[in-house]
Every structure is written in structure tokens, then in C-alpha cells.
Amino acid sequence: MPALMELRTRACHVRGSFTAKDNVKPALSRHNLIEEPASFDYNRLAHPPVTFRHEKLKSDERIPAARRYIVEHGLNEHFDGAHQDLGLIVQGGLYNTLIRALQQFGLADAFGRSAIPMLVLNVTCPLVPKQLTDFCVGKRAVLMLEEGQPEYIEQELATLLRRGDIQTPLHGKDMLPNAGEYTAEVMANGLAHFIGRYLQDPATQAVTDAARAWLQGNQTRRQEAAQQLQAPLPARPPGMCVGCPERPVFSALKLAQQDVGPVHIAGDIGCHALATFEPFSFGHSILGYGMSLASRAGVSPVMKRRVLSVMGDGGFWHNGLLTGVQSALFNGDDAVLLIFKNGYTSATGTQDIISTPGDEAKEAAADKLQSLAHTNQTIETTLKGLGVQWMRTVHTYEVDTVRATLTEAFTTEFQGLKVIVAEGECQLERQRRIKPWIASLLKKGRRVVRVKYGVDEDVCNGDHACIRLSGCPTLTLKDNPDPLKVDPVATVIDGCVGCGLCGANAHAATLCPSFYRAEVIQNPRWHERLIHTLRGSVVRLLQPA
């Protein structure tokens, strides 16, 4: 059986070493196949009434066996300390942070030795009742450090103490925050309350006072910084990658809503969920992966305008095809579905899916700079096979075309499911293919042309509509070089991948004509060098002295 391990964020930031055993060849694998299927056993099924027996076995045999295993193998750890009348119970993932917080009070050293006894719950489910009650017996107080809420462990521990008639005071969320990450500072605040109430040690009083001063100083510095800034710093939300093929569609959607009016947008999980941030702020709801079209069914019947559902191709295959598309077709819903066909499950690391461009298409592409999402038509053929009658395919970077297609979908007299497939290969995958290809061409001394975009600062009028319409990270501001103008001008910084969105937006929205397209030629041919020299001479002649 495969083993799944999920690492907490803190575990990913801790370094250490351990001795591993040698790998053991599995008894069953693709190289050692099972000759005969297992014999039929009704009790191994997972539906009633079989599950009734499993519930009884879970409480009577399995959980007790798990608790014995935890104790026999020492999975939970007990650390003694000088102050035997107090105790700390902590989730295993918080142990290192707790030690750091205790160090601020002089109650732990750099090697993890704590002056207050600790029970570290490396296994939080199931809990071992006797282990917990034995730890609490005879102590003046115990502090439970449990991240998250509700406080499941603290509530169960309180029940165990009450049933065992153990009168040890239990503290937890009364001294620590109900929600949020338990950082060293957050834990130190909780420890300050606990120590101030139960531990007055002259030997560590100076360090304890210093820790309280440190906590107070942090709060004071935050207040002073807020007063000096006078206003909160602007938020820096995450955004789509430079050249992301999904950004142009949201630019087009902004323009389309100028024609048809605001529409309700059912969002989905994926890169396109980043459109919920500025400058787009699209997405009234996000229910689940591939659930946008299904969730729209609860809204569209009471909306005057048609509702737009946004979905990626990963979400389409994961859930959208069954819960959304087939349901909308079966019920005859008048819905609009926009599918981002970038060819990968990009938000989680560009994993391949059914509609990923094939290796053959990547190898055969003469121009590897171009998107290859169109080479796989699995989504389109699937939709046609299900009976979708109104379907349009657009290229994401053609903003004006996407705008017209969206407007048509919102206003057409056709009643039924309308699907727009927006093709544009994931920019991350494109760059992973393009960069090695360009490097190989340069190594061979071959001619390479790369496109860059820029802004003519003499033409830019400084209204920054281009930035509000695209949100591209490489399209930003700089000081106006004209001393008679105070408004900053737009500029394209390094990192531009030449997707052309800025120019497409300027054309579709009729913005100022300040964008220009430049070709950077490496290893140019002889006649290109000659033309470049002649052009430079003419430009110098035309320039004023």
C-alpha cells in the first residue's frame, strides 16, 4: 500500500538528518504481478450494513490497537523539566517554535532542553487518554498549545480530566489566539500569561522581564511604524505569471462588460482564481475544483443577465465535465462557460492532463515560440460528442476577438449551453521549451529573434489605463522625463516575454498609441548589420545638435 506524507510549512523550513533503512523490494508491483484476484469477502465492502460492523471494530479493536502502538513505539515524546508542578502539551509540529519561545523566557536552551515538562503529541489522532491524564496528575496547571480551532484536543483533554476527577487547571485558548499561525511571538504572548500566573522564579525573572519587554517593544514598533506611514501600505496580492495566456481573457471580459453590463461570474480553482485580485476583481464565488458551472445553476435562474462560469481545462476534466456540462445540457440551462485551455494543470505545477499537447507536436513544431494548445482537440471533441451546439474557439491573446465572442455569448438569441474555449498554452511550459531551444540556436551561431514591447514615453499620456486593463507585472510606472509633466509614465521592465497583451489591449480599448514592438536579433545576417548601420547614421543626422 502506498504511503502518503504531507509536510507542514514549518517542517519544510527545518533541516536535520536521520538514518534510513535500506529499501525493501515490494512483494507486489508492476514487475511482480498478482496471479489471481483475492477471494470475495463481503465484509470488506464499504457500504451499509458492512460499515456497521466496521464502526464497532473501530471502537472495540482498531483504536485501542492504535493507542497501544503509539505507546509501545514512543511516538509521542515526554520531556522532563525542573518545574515538575507545571506542564506543556503541544502538537508535534509546533515543538520547535515552542522551544524558541521558551528560550525568550530563559526556560529552554539551544539544545531543546525545557525547564517545564512537555508532552509532545506527534500523533494527535487518536489521543492516548492514559498518557494525557498521567502527565496532568499532580500539576498545578497545564497549558495546551493547539493551533487552529475548534480546540479539539483541548476539549477532549478537558473531558478526560473531568471523567478522571483530576483537578489540574487546564489552559489553552484562554491564553492563546483561537485562530491564526502560532509563531514564536504568538506563543511567547501566551507563555507570558501562563508564566506570570503560575511561575515566579527569581533565577529567571530577569530573562522573563526581558522577554516581556521584547513583546511590548514589538507592539510599540508596529504602532510607531503605522503612525509614520499615516496610511496602510498597499496590498501586494499574488498575480498571474508574466505572459500568462489567461490575463488577456480577463482584459477582454472587462471590455465586454462595458457593452453588455456587469455579469455574475462563477469562478473556479486554478490560476484564473488570481483574477479575483486587482485589477480585475472577477469572481463572485469559488465553490470547488471544476464546480463553477454547477454552482452557477443556483444563481442564473434569478439573474437578469446570463451568468459566466470560468473553468480551467484541469477543472474541466476533474469535475466540470460531469457535474457542470452534462447537467447543464440535461436541464437545458441557458449558461455561458469559458474554458481556459492552457494544456496543463498549471496552478499545481503544470502536471499533464488529457488535453496536454503531445510530445510529437512539441518535437514537430517548426516555431517553438508558438502556443501548441490547439494541437490537442480532446476538449472540443468531447463537448461535441455530448451535444454542445454553440461552441467557439478563440486565441487568448487576440483581445478584440475574445471581447466580441464574449459579447456574442451574452447577447445571442440561442438558448442553451454556450461554450467558449480560450486557447493559449501555459507560459511557464512554453518558456521551459523555448529557453533551451534558443540556447541551442545561439550555441550553433544561428539567427535568433526575440520580441520585446516598450512604451514611448513622449507619447504616453500618463492615464495608466493600460495598467488597469492588463495587470502585467512587467508593465509598471516610472518618473516622467518631461519636466513640465508631473504624472508618471508607463514603462515595460525586464522580464517581458513578448506576449503582446499590452499592444492588443491598446488596440481593443483604443488607448493611447504609446506601445511599440521591437525585435531583438542575435547573430544577425550581414545585410541586417548593414541596414542597422545605415539606420543609425540616418537617425544621428536627424537628431538635433
Side-chain angles (χ1 to χ4, degrees), residues 297-327:
V299 179
S300 58
V302 295
M303 298 295 294
K304 184 176 180 179
R305 299 187 183 94
R306 285 169 177 158
V307 174
L308 174 65
S309 301
V310 177
M311 188 185 302
D313 42 4
F316 173 82
W317 295 117
H318 177 78
N319 210 357
L321 176 62
L322 297 179
T323 61
V325 174
Q326 69 88 17
S327 179

PDB file of all heavy atoms in Angstrom, residues 297-327:
ATOM      1  N   ALA A 297     -25.753  27.171 -11.402  1.00  0.00           N
ATOM      2  CA  ALA A 297     -27.154  26.758 -11.518  1.00  0.00           C
ATOM      3  C   ALA A 297     -28.012  27.312 -10.396  1.00  0.00           C
ATOM      4  O   ALA A 297     -29.230  27.450 -10.553  1.00  0.00           O
ATOM      5  CB  ALA A 297     -27.243  25.232 -11.536  1.00  0.00           C
ATOM      6  N   GLY A 298     -27.398  27.636  -9.254  1.00  0.00           N
ATOM      7  CA  GLY A 298     -28.165  28.193  -8.158  1.00  0.00           C
ATOM      8  C   GLY A 298     -28.358  29.692  -8.257  1.00  0.00           C
ATOM      9  O   GLY A 298     -29.107  30.269  -7.461  1.00  0.00           O
ATOM     10  N   VAL A 299     -27.684  30.335  -9.208  1.00  0.00           N
ATOM     11  CA  VAL A 299     -27.725  31.793  -9.310  1.00  0.00           C
ATOM     12  C   VAL A 299     -28.436  32.259 -10.575  1.00  0.00           C
ATOM     13  O   VAL A 299     -29.248  33.187 -10.547  1.00  0.00           O
ATOM     14  CB  VAL A 299     -26.292  32.374  -9.276  1.00  0.00           C
ATOM     15  CG1 VAL A 299     -26.310  33.882  -9.394  1.00  0.00           C
ATOM     16  CG2 VAL A 299     -25.585  31.945  -8.007  1.00  0.00           C
ATOM     17  N   SER A 300     -28.141  31.610 -11.705  1.00  0.00           N
ATOM     18  CA  SER A 300     -28.612  32.115 -13.005  1.00  0.00           C
ATOM     19  C   SER A 300     -30.128  32.220 -13.123  1.00  0.00           C
ATOM     20  O   SER A 300     -30.615  33.121 -13.824  1.00  0.00           O
ATOM     21  CB  SER A 300     -28.055  31.242 -14.131  1.00  0.00           C
ATOM     22  OG  SER A 300     -28.428  29.893 -13.967  1.00  0.00           O
ATOM     23  N   PRO A 301     -30.940  31.346 -12.481  1.00  0.00           N
ATOM     24  CA  PRO A 301     -32.389  31.497 -12.650  1.00  0.00           C
ATOM     25  C   PRO A 301     -32.945  32.815 -12.147  1.00  0.00           C
ATOM     26  O   PRO A 301     -34.042  33.220 -12.568  1.00  0.00           O
ATOM     27  CB  PRO A 301     -32.964  30.310 -11.850  1.00  0.00           C
ATOM     28  CG  PRO A 301     -31.869  29.302 -11.827  1.00  0.00           C
ATOM     29  CD  PRO A 301     -30.612  30.110 -11.755  1.00  0.00           C
ATOM     30  N   VAL A 302     -32.227  33.486 -11.241  1.00  0.00           N
ATOM     31  CA  VAL A 302     -32.742  34.737 -10.680  1.00  0.00           C
ATOM     32  C   VAL A 302     -31.940  35.948 -11.155  1.00  0.00           C
ATOM     33  O   VAL A 302     -32.108  37.046 -10.611  1.00  0.00           O
ATOM     34  CB  VAL A 302     -32.735  34.675  -9.137  1.00  0.00           C
ATOM     35  CG1 VAL A 302     -33.685  33.611  -8.640  1.00  0.00           C
ATOM     36  CG2 VAL A 302     -31.323  34.411  -8.611  1.00  0.00           C
ATOM     37  N   MET A 303     -31.075  35.757 -12.157  1.00  0.00           N
ATOM     38  CA  MET A 303     -30.270  36.855 -12.680  1.00  0.00           C
ATOM     39  C   MET A 303     -30.865  37.344 -13.996  1.00  0.00           C
ATOM     40  O   MET A 303     -31.284  36.549 -14.845  1.00  0.00           O
ATOM     41  CB  MET A 303     -28.820  36.416 -12.904  1.00  0.00           C
ATOM     42  CG  MET A 303     -28.087  35.985 -11.643  1.00  0.00           C
ATOM     43  SD  MET A 303     -27.847  37.325 -10.449  1.00  0.00           S
ATOM     44  CE  MET A 303     -26.744  38.388 -11.347  1.00  0.00           C
ATOM     45  N   LYS A 304     -30.879  38.653 -14.170  1.00  0.00           N
ATOM     46  CA  LYS A 304     -31.417  39.236 -15.398  1.00  0.00           C
ATOM     47  C   LYS A 304     -30.515  38.938 -16.571  1.00  0.00           C
ATOM     48  O   LYS A 304     -30.984  38.634 -17.677  1.00  0.00           O
ATOM     49  CB  LYS A 304     -31.587  40.740 -15.217  1.00  0.00           C
ATOM     50  CG  LYS A 304     -32.242  41.442 -16.399  1.00  0.00           C
ATOM     51  CD  LYS A 304     -32.454  42.913 -16.104  1.00  0.00           C
ATOM     52  CE  LYS A 304     -33.125  43.604 -17.302  1.00  0.00           C
ATOM     53  NZ  LYS A 304     -33.356  45.050 -17.020  1.00  0.00           N
ATOM     54  N   ARG A 305     -29.191  39.061 -16.351  1.00  0.00           N
ATOM     55  CA  ARG A 305     -28.229  38.768 -17.410  1.00  0.00           C
ATOM     56  C   ARG A 305     -27.704  37.344 -17.250  1.00  0.00           C
ATOM     57  O   ARG A 305     -27.788  36.752 -16.181  1.00  0.00           O
ATOM     58  CB  ARG A 305     -27.058  39.750 -17.382  1.00  0.00           C
ATOM     59  CG  ARG A 305     -27.456  41.206 -17.589  1.00  0.00           C
ATOM     60  CD  ARG A 305     -26.213  42.091 -17.723  1.00  0.00           C
ATOM     61  NE  ARG A 305     -26.575  43.487 -17.861  1.00  0.00           N
ATOM     62  CZ  ARG A 305     -26.655  44.343 -16.839  1.00  0.00           C
ATOM     63  NH1 ARG A 305     -26.381  43.922 -15.620  1.00  0.00           N
ATOM     64  NH2 ARG A 305     -27.008  45.589 -17.044  1.00  0.00           N
ATOM     65  N   ARG A 306     -27.139  36.825 -18.307  1.00  0.00           N
ATOM     66  CA  ARG A 306     -26.567  35.488 -18.258  1.00  0.00           C
ATOM     67  C   ARG A 306     -25.344  35.460 -17.338  1.00  0.00           C
ATOM     68  O   ARG A 306     -24.577  36.418 -17.277  1.00  0.00           O
ATOM     69  CB  ARG A 306     -26.169  35.037 -19.662  1.00  0.00           C
ATOM     70  CG  ARG A 306     -27.374  34.650 -20.512  1.00  0.00           C
ATOM     71  CD  ARG A 306     -27.007  34.457 -21.954  1.00  0.00           C
ATOM     72  NE  ARG A 306     -28.173  34.014 -22.729  1.00  0.00           N
ATOM     73  CZ  ARG A 306     -28.304  34.157 -24.038  1.00  0.00           C
ATOM     74  NH1 ARG A 306     -27.331  34.734 -24.740  1.00  0.00           N
ATOM     75  NH2 ARG A 306     -29.387  33.729 -24.657  1.00  0.00           N
ATOM     76  N   VAL A 307     -25.178  34.356 -16.661  1.00  0.00           N
ATOM     77  CA  VAL A 307     -24.065  34.172 -15.729  1.00  0.00           C
ATOM     78  C   VAL A 307     -22.906  33.527 -16.477  1.00  0.00           C
ATOM     79  O   VAL A 307     -23.090  32.612 -17.276  1.00  0.00           O
ATOM     80  CB  VAL A 307     -24.497  33.299 -14.536  1.00  0.00           C
ATOM     81  CG1 VAL A 307     -23.309  32.975 -13.649  1.00  0.00           C
ATOM     82  CG2 VAL A 307     -25.587  34.007 -13.737  1.00  0.00           C
ATOM     83  N   LEU A 308     -21.699  34.008 -16.194  1.00  0.00           N
ATOM     84  CA  LEU A 308     -20.495  33.455 -16.808  1.00  0.00           C
ATOM     85  C   LEU A 308     -19.817  32.509 -15.823  1.00  0.00           C
ATOM     86  O   LEU A 308     -19.562  32.874 -14.676  1.00  0.00           O
ATOM     87  CB  LEU A 308     -19.528  34.570 -17.207  1.00  0.00           C
ATOM     88  CG  LEU A 308     -18.161  34.113 -17.736  1.00  0.00           C
ATOM     89  CD1 LEU A 308     -18.317  33.353 -19.047  1.00  0.00           C
ATOM     90  CD2 LEU A 308     -17.216  35.296 -17.903  1.00  0.00           C
ATOM     91  N   SER A 309     -19.520  31.315 -16.283  1.00  0.00           N
ATOM     92  CA  SER A 309     -18.755  30.347 -15.490  1.00  0.00           C
ATOM     93  C   SER A 309     -17.359  30.221 -16.085  1.00  0.00           C
ATOM     94  O   SER A 309     -17.216  30.023 -17.294  1.00  0.00           O
ATOM     95  CB  SER A 309     -19.446  28.977 -15.486  1.00  0.00           C
ATOM     96  OG  SER A 309     -20.749  29.078 -14.957  1.00  0.00           O
ATOM     97  N   VAL A 310     -16.349  30.342 -15.238  1.00  0.00           N
ATOM     98  CA  VAL A 310     -14.954  30.269 -15.671  1.00  0.00           C
ATOM     99  C   VAL A 310     -14.352  28.968 -15.151  1.00  0.00           C
ATOM    100  O   VAL A 310     -14.526  28.615 -13.982  1.00  0.00           O
ATOM    101  CB  VAL A 310     -14.149  31.479 -15.151  1.00  0.00           C
ATOM    102  CG1 VAL A 310     -12.687  31.357 -15.539  1.00  0.00           C
ATOM    103  CG2 VAL A 310     -14.745  32.773 -15.691  1.00  0.00           C
ATOM    104  N   MET A 311     -13.640  28.271 -16.025  1.00  0.00           N
ATOM    105  CA  MET A 311     -13.104  26.971 -15.647  1.00  0.00           C
ATOM    106  C   MET A 311     -11.821  26.699 -16.432  1.00  0.00           C
ATOM    107  O   MET A 311     -11.732  27.044 -17.612  1.00  0.00           O
ATOM    108  CB  MET A 311     -14.148  25.886 -15.961  1.00  0.00           C
ATOM    109  CG  MET A 311     -13.835  24.501 -15.462  1.00  0.00           C
ATOM    110  SD  MET A 311     -15.090  23.316 -16.030  1.00  0.00           S
ATOM    111  CE  MET A 311     -16.591  24.035 -15.356  1.00  0.00           C
ATOM    112  N   GLY A 312     -10.840  26.113 -15.794  1.00  0.00           N
ATOM    113  CA  GLY A 312      -9.637  25.685 -16.493  1.00  0.00           C
ATOM    114  C   GLY A 312      -9.807  24.291 -17.067  1.00  0.00           C
ATOM    115  O   GLY A 312     -10.747  23.566 -16.721  1.00  0.00           O
ATOM    116  N   ASP A 313      -8.889  23.908 -17.952  1.00  0.00           N
ATOM    117  CA  ASP A 313      -9.014  22.560 -18.524  1.00  0.00           C
ATOM    118  C   ASP A 313      -8.762  21.486 -17.471  1.00  0.00           C
ATOM    119  O   ASP A 313      -9.327  20.388 -17.548  1.00  0.00           O
ATOM    120  CB  ASP A 313      -8.095  22.368 -19.743  1.00  0.00           C
ATOM    121  CG  ASP A 313      -6.711  22.957 -19.542  1.00  0.00           C
ATOM    122  OD1 ASP A 313      -6.427  23.445 -18.435  1.00  0.00           O
ATOM    123  OD2 ASP A 313      -5.914  22.942 -20.490  1.00  0.00           O
ATOM    124  N   GLY A 314      -7.935  21.778 -16.466  1.00  0.00           N
ATOM    125  CA  GLY A 314      -7.759  20.821 -15.377  1.00  0.00           C
ATOM    126  C   GLY A 314      -9.051  20.622 -14.605  1.00  0.00           C
ATOM    127  O   GLY A 314      -9.441  19.493 -14.284  1.00  0.00           O
ATOM    128  N   GLY A 315      -9.732  21.724 -14.271  1.00  0.00           N
ATOM    129  CA  GLY A 315     -11.014  21.632 -13.585  1.00  0.00           C
ATOM    130  C   GLY A 315     -12.086  20.992 -14.440  1.00  0.00           C
ATOM    131  O   GLY A 315     -12.981  20.298 -13.935  1.00  0.00           O
ATOM    132  N   PHE A 316     -11.995  21.217 -15.747  1.00  0.00           N
ATOM    133  CA  PHE A 316     -12.956  20.610 -16.680  1.00  0.00           C
ATOM    134  C   PHE A 316     -12.894  19.092 -16.600  1.00  0.00           C
ATOM    135  O   PHE A 316     -13.918  18.415 -16.463  1.00  0.00           O
ATOM    136  CB  PHE A 316     -12.656  21.093 -18.097  1.00  0.00           C
ATOM    137  CG  PHE A 316     -13.465  20.407 -19.169  1.00  0.00           C
ATOM    138  CD1 PHE A 316     -14.756  20.821 -19.449  1.00  0.00           C
ATOM    139  CD2 PHE A 316     -12.931  19.359 -19.891  1.00  0.00           C
ATOM    140  CE1 PHE A 316     -15.502  20.187 -20.434  1.00  0.00           C
ATOM    141  CE2 PHE A 316     -13.664  18.724 -20.875  1.00  0.00           C
ATOM    142  CZ  PHE A 316     -14.962  19.138 -21.148  1.00  0.00           C
ATOM    143  N   TRP A 317     -11.683  18.535 -16.652  1.00  0.00           N
ATOM    144  CA  TRP A 317     -11.543  17.080 -16.599  1.00  0.00           C
ATOM    145  C   TRP A 317     -11.782  16.551 -15.190  1.00  0.00           C
ATOM    146  O   TRP A 317     -12.268  15.428 -15.016  1.00  0.00           O
ATOM    147  CB  TRP A 317     -10.160  16.660 -17.086  1.00  0.00           C
ATOM    148  CG  TRP A 317      -9.903  16.955 -18.533  1.00  0.00           C
ATOM    149  CD1 TRP A 317      -8.957  17.787 -19.049  1.00  0.00           C
ATOM    150  CD2 TRP A 317     -10.611  16.412 -19.654  1.00  0.00           C
ATOM    151  NE1 TRP A 317      -9.026  17.805 -20.406  1.00  0.00           N
ATOM    152  CE2 TRP A 317     -10.032  16.964 -20.816  1.00  0.00           C
ATOM    153  CE3 TRP A 317     -11.672  15.530 -19.793  1.00  0.00           C
ATOM    154  CZ2 TRP A 317     -10.473  16.660 -22.091  1.00  0.00           C
ATOM    155  CZ3 TRP A 317     -12.117  15.226 -21.062  1.00  0.00           C
ATOM    156  CH2 TRP A 317     -11.530  15.779 -22.197  1.00  0.00           C
ATOM    157  N   HIS A 318     -11.436  17.335 -14.186  1.00  0.00           N
ATOM    158  CA  HIS A 318     -11.557  16.862 -12.803  1.00  0.00           C
ATOM    159  C   HIS A 318     -13.023  16.710 -12.396  1.00  0.00           C
ATOM    160  O   HIS A 318     -13.405  15.710 -11.788  1.00  0.00           O
ATOM    161  CB  HIS A 318     -10.853  17.827 -11.854  1.00  0.00           C
ATOM    162  CG  HIS A 318     -10.985  17.473 -10.410  1.00  0.00           C
ATOM    163  ND1 HIS A 318     -10.248  16.483  -9.812  1.00  0.00           N
ATOM    164  CD2 HIS A 318     -11.789  17.969  -9.431  1.00  0.00           C
ATOM    165  CE1 HIS A 318     -10.574  16.390  -8.542  1.00  0.00           C
ATOM    166  NE2 HIS A 318     -11.518  17.282  -8.280  1.00  0.00           N
ATOM    167  N   ASN A 319     -13.835  17.702 -12.707  1.00  0.00           N
ATOM    168  CA  ASN A 319     -15.199  17.708 -12.183  1.00  0.00           C
ATOM    169  C   ASN A 319     -16.191  18.388 -13.108  1.00  0.00           C
ATOM    170  O   ASN A 319     -17.370  18.047 -13.119  1.00  0.00           O
ATOM    171  CB  ASN A 319     -15.222  18.415 -10.815  1.00  0.00           C
ATOM    172  CG  ASN A 319     -16.306  17.891  -9.905  1.00  0.00           C
ATOM    173  OD1 ASN A 319     -17.099  17.041 -10.288  1.00  0.00           O
ATOM    174  ND2 ASN A 319     -16.355  18.399  -8.695  1.00  0.00           N
ATOM    175  N   GLY A 320     -15.719  19.386 -13.861  1.00  0.00           N
ATOM    176  CA  GLY A 320     -16.627  20.217 -14.626  1.00  0.00           C
ATOM    177  C   GLY A 320     -17.399  19.485 -15.706  1.00  0.00           C
ATOM    178  O   GLY A 320     -18.555  19.825 -15.999  1.00  0.00           O
ATOM    179  N   LEU A 321     -16.782  18.491 -16.323  1.00  0.00           N
ATOM    180  CA  LEU A 321     -17.443  17.780 -17.412  1.00  0.00           C
ATOM    181  C   LEU A 321     -18.712  17.085 -16.923  1.00  0.00           C
ATOM    182  O   LEU A 321     -19.757  17.142 -17.581  1.00  0.00           O
ATOM    183  CB  LEU A 321     -16.469  16.760 -18.019  1.00  0.00           C
ATOM    184  CG  LEU A 321     -17.033  15.855 -19.119  1.00  0.00           C
ATOM    185  CD1 LEU A 321     -17.479  16.680 -20.317  1.00  0.00           C
ATOM    186  CD2 LEU A 321     -15.992  14.825 -19.546  1.00  0.00           C
ATOM    187  N   LEU A 322     -18.651  16.439 -15.758  1.00  0.00           N
ATOM    188  CA  LEU A 322     -19.791  15.662 -15.270  1.00  0.00           C
ATOM    189  C   LEU A 322     -20.777  16.516 -14.489  1.00  0.00           C
ATOM    190  O   LEU A 322     -21.968  16.530 -14.785  1.00  0.00           O
ATOM    191  CB  LEU A 322     -19.298  14.501 -14.414  1.00  0.00           C
ATOM    192  CG  LEU A 322     -18.443  13.456 -15.129  1.00  0.00           C
ATOM    193  CD1 LEU A 322     -17.999  12.380 -14.156  1.00  0.00           C
ATOM    194  CD2 LEU A 322     -19.205  12.834 -16.287  1.00  0.00           C
ATOM    195  N   THR A 323     -20.285  17.237 -13.480  1.00  0.00           N
ATOM    196  CA  THR A 323     -21.205  17.992 -12.628  1.00  0.00           C
ATOM    197  C   THR A 323     -21.702  19.261 -13.301  1.00  0.00           C
ATOM    198  O   THR A 323     -22.766  19.765 -12.941  1.00  0.00           O
ATOM    199  CB  THR A 323     -20.523  18.391 -11.307  1.00  0.00           C
ATOM    200  OG1 THR A 323     -19.400  19.228 -11.588  1.00  0.00           O
ATOM    201  CG2 THR A 323     -20.059  17.168 -10.552  1.00  0.00           C
ATOM    202  N   GLY A 324     -20.958  19.782 -14.264  1.00  0.00           N
ATOM    203  CA  GLY A 324     -21.354  21.030 -14.900  1.00  0.00           C
ATOM    204  C   GLY A 324     -21.940  20.870 -16.280  1.00  0.00           C
ATOM    205  O   GLY A 324     -23.114  21.162 -16.521  1.00  0.00           O
ATOM    206  N   VAL A 325     -21.112  20.388 -17.218  1.00  0.00           N
ATOM    207  CA  VAL A 325     -21.521  20.361 -18.620  1.00  0.00           C
ATOM    208  C   VAL A 325     -22.700  19.427 -18.842  1.00  0.00           C
ATOM    209  O   VAL A 325     -23.728  19.818 -19.421  1.00  0.00           O
ATOM    210  CB  VAL A 325     -20.333  19.974 -19.518  1.00  0.00           C
ATOM    211  CG1 VAL A 325     -20.791  19.810 -20.965  1.00  0.00           C
ATOM    212  CG2 VAL A 325     -19.235  21.031 -19.428  1.00  0.00           C
ATOM    213  N   GLN A 326     -22.579  18.161 -18.389  1.00  0.00           N
ATOM    214  CA  GLN A 326     -23.666  17.220 -18.666  1.00  0.00           C
ATOM    215  C   GLN A 326     -24.943  17.628 -17.945  1.00  0.00           C
ATOM    216  O   GLN A 326     -26.050  17.435 -18.454  1.00  0.00           O
ATOM    217  CB  GLN A 326     -23.243  15.791 -18.290  1.00  0.00           C
ATOM    218  CG  GLN A 326     -23.065  15.513 -16.816  1.00  0.00           C
ATOM    219  CD  GLN A 326     -24.336  15.067 -16.121  1.00  0.00           C
ATOM    220  OE1 GLN A 326     -25.273  14.660 -16.786  1.00  0.00           O
ATOM    221  NE2 GLN A 326     -24.361  15.166 -14.802  1.00  0.00           N
ATOM    222  N   SER A 327     -24.815  18.235 -16.759  1.00  0.00           N
ATOM    223  CA  SER A 327     -26.001  18.683 -16.030  1.00  0.00           C
ATOM    224  C   SER A 327     -26.671  19.845 -16.757  1.00  0.00           C
ATOM    225  O   SER A 327     -27.906  19.886 -16.868  1.00  0.00           O
ATOM    226  CB  SER A 327     -25.618  19.092 -14.608  1.00  0.00           C
ATOM    227  OG  SER A 327     -26.745  19.554 -13.894  1.00  0.00           O
TER     228      SER A 327
END
